[in-house]
């Protein structure tokens, strides 16, 4: 069996992503793939140089000296810091400018001309990103290399022995670097795109925009929490201006810290810190913002009625934000969670006399979701949001990974009572049909 190295695997992933980006014609995915290529090729060249010119140059049987080590550390830092950043600087600027421009153009729908604020944003992006590229080696790798060096000195290794030791230790660091640059590329694109969008929203006179995560099993809890939130453009402008004024890139961590889901759950969007106005909400974040769209009347939550014991955490979202989630759920052909389906098709399916096959069961559940005019939301097991859709003789639950989690039979003459009982701990989302 052929064993692929980290590097080959990551090349493979890039090739696949490029193909997908092309098929989907997603400009940002394409730019991300391009930037990843640039970074990984640059990193590949820089690390090869470091190994060949610096580490392999450690030869001979004389004992490794302190000055050998210091010279080596300085040479590595140069190659993996400043030289690496210099190598990728030009394409980086080009790609992040494209992401910014397309982010802006998506909103204003005409080719943008850059103003002072755009140039300031692009300049900030360039300074910050260059800083992270230059300092990755210093912050993440240099310490380990120093530790190995000190151990080699103490052990009295020869230069040749120390060289071999460094080479081996280096491989692991290089692989970590590869993973880092993949994530970094995504981060650069997200930041550039979202800053472009802010200017787009301003120019287009849009008052509020919407946070849109990719909802699947991989979605992080924080992005699930932010999905569907409607944010006022002033917040994004405030955040953008704070980022532009950051004295140094490290300060960004204070301006837009990555919060835990518990710090956001149950909070009204207007009460969230300014730093949450725009993604990324974490490293490798796939979330974007979009112009807030209206929705059809049947998906519009016109009133929220909480029960007597409804947990606070459910009250953070507004009717409009619950509308967004409802629209997303109904826009899809929902999958039935595999595990739950295996269980329910034995335990619950047979109680519906009219349903004979698993396919019929799944379709009937989907139909309840699409047509129900009695909808509750619950805080399931104290940790996640779920929607409950009432049909004429059953209830369907849907989670935020956009999967059906159950379809339970209830006798038609009892379903109203069940609804009233359940309502106590949930919120009744009244649509115009309810
Ligand atoms: Zn995310």
């Amino acid at each position: 069996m052929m064993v692929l190295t980290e590097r080959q695997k990551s090349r493979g992933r890039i090739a696949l992503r490029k193909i997908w980006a092309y098929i989907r014609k997603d400009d940002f995915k394409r730019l991300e793939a391009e930037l990843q290529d640039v970074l990984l090729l640059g990193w590949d060249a820089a690390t090869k140089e470091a190994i060949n010119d610096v580490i392999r140059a450690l030869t001979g049987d004389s004992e490794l000296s302190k000055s050998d080590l210091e010279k080596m550390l300085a040479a590595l830092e140069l190659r993996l810091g400043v030289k690496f950043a210099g190598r990728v600087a030009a394409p980086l600027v080009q790609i992040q400018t494209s992401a910014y421009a397309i982010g802006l153009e998506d909103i204003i729908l005409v080719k943008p001309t850059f103003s002072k604020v755009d140039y300031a944003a692009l300049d900030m992006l360039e300074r910050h990103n260059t800083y992270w590229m230059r300092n990755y080696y210093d912050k993440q790798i240099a310490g380990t290399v120093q530790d190995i060096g000190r151990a080699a000195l103490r052990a009295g290794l020869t230069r040749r022995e120390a060289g071999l030791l460094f080479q081996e230790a280096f491989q692991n660091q290089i692989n970590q670097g590869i993973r880092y640059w993949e994530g970094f590329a995504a981060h650069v694109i997200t930041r550039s795109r979202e800053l472009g969008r802010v200017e787009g929203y301003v120019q287009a006179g849009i008052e509020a925009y919407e946070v849109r995560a990719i909802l699947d099993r991989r979605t992080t809890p924080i992005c699930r929490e932010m999905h569907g939130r409607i944010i006022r453009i002033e917040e994004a402008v405030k955040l953008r201006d704070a980022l532009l004024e950051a004295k140094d890139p490290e300060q960004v961590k204070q301006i837009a810290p990555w919060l835990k889901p518990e710090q956001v759950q149950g909070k009204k969007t207007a009460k969230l810190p300014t730093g949450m106005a725009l993604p990324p909400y974490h490293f490798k974040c796939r979330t974007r913002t979009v112009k807030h769209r209206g929705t059809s009347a049947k998906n519009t939550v016109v009133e929220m009625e909480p029960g007597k014991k409804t947990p606070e955490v459910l009250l953070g979202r507004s009717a409009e934000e619950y509308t967004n989630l409802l629209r997303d759920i109904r826009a899809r052909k929902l999958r039935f969670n595999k595990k739950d389906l295996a269980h329910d098709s034995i335990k619950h399916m047979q109680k519906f006399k009219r349903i004979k096959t698993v396919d019929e069961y799944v379709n009937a559940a989907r139909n309840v979701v699409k047509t129900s005019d009695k909808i509750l939301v619950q805080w399931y097991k104290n940790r996640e949001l779920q929607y409950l859709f009432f049909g004429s003789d059953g209830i369907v639950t849907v989670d935020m990974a956009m999967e059906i989690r159950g379809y339970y039979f209830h006798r038609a003459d009892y379903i109203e009572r069940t609804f009233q009982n359940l309502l106590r701990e949930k919120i009744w989302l009244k649509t115009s049909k309810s």
Side-chain angles (χ1 to χ4, degrees), residues 213-412:
I214 295 172
L215 295 174
D216 54 27
R217 291 259 147 238
R218 274 164 59 210
T219 314
T220 55
I222 187 71
C223 285
R224 246 171 235 189
E225 192 50 53
M226 292 304 294
H227 177 79
R229 298 253 192 183
I230 299 165
I231 300 180
R232 301 202 49 81
I233 183 65
E234 292 94 291
E235 280 302 299
V237 171
K238 229 195 266 173
L239 174 57
R240 190 256 321 262
D241 292 349
L243 290 171
L244 290 187
E245 272 162 34
K247 295 270 176 302
D248 65 85
E250 298 281 354
Q251 230 193 348
V252 171
K253 290 178 188 164
Q254 274 110 57
I255 296 168
W258 287 341
L259 300 187
K260 296 195 180 77
E262 306 85 79
Q263 293 172 283
V264 172
Q265 273 159 6
K267 279 216 178 118
K268 294 222 179 347
T269 303
K271 295 265 156 68
L272 292 178
T274 303
M276 294 304 282
L278 297 170
Y281 297 123
H282 54 89
F283 203 53
K284 296 193 176 179
C285 187
R286 296 178 291 160
T287 297
R288 300 178 178 187
T289 67
V290 292
K291 196 168 111 181
H292 178 47
R293 287 178 303 167
T295 183
S296 64
K298 81 174 181 106
N299 293 336
T300 301
V301 178
V302 289
E303 200 193 329
M304 292 162 58
E305 184 182 317
K308 287 201 171 61
K309 291 198 224 154
T310 299
E312 282 287 311
V313 64
L314 284 177
L315 299 170
R317 285 179 207 262
S318 64
E320 223 181 343
E321 288 167 338
Y322 278 118
T323 298
N324 286 346
L325 304 186
L326 180 61
R327 177 202 63 208
D328 294 337
I329 290 171
R330 282 184 163 164
R332 300 187 180 215
K333 189 170 179 182
L334 296 174
R335 283 170 312 164
F336 207 122
N337 179 281
K338 265 199 191 126
K339 244 194 194 157
D340 292 332
L341 183 58
H343 172 263
D344 291 1
S345 60
I346 296 165
K347 205 175 157 227
H348 297 286
M349 189 176 103
Q350 50 169 341
K351 293 184 189 156
F352 295 92
K353 294 284 179 291
R354 64 201 154 84
I355 292 172
K356 302 283 177 250
T357 68
V358 174
D359 276 353
E360 281 173 22
Y361 183 58
V362 174
N363 282 329
R366 284 186 185 135
N367 193 42
V368 170
V369 171
K370 294 256 187 229
T371 57
S372 170
D373 51 13
K374 272 208 161 72
I375 305 164
L376 299 178
V377 285
Q378 66 176 351
W379 190 242
Y380 180 67
K381 288 199 171 160
N382 237 335
R383 62 162 197 256
E384 62 169 319
L385 185 71
Q386 287 190 346
Y387 271 68
L388 274 68
F389 295 90
F390 283 69
S392 58
D393 59 354
I395 304 169
V396 179
T397 55
V398 176
D399 71 10
M400 285 293 286
M402 299 283 126
E403 286 189 340
I404 297 173
R405 301 304 303 270
Y407 181 24
Y408 312 108
F409 178 78
H410 286 269
R411 272 179 47 189

Side-chain angles (χ1 to χ4, degrees), residues 91-103:
L92 171 87
V93 167
Q94 204 188 358
I95 292 169
Q96 72 193 12
T97 306
S98 302
Y100 184 96
I102 298 170

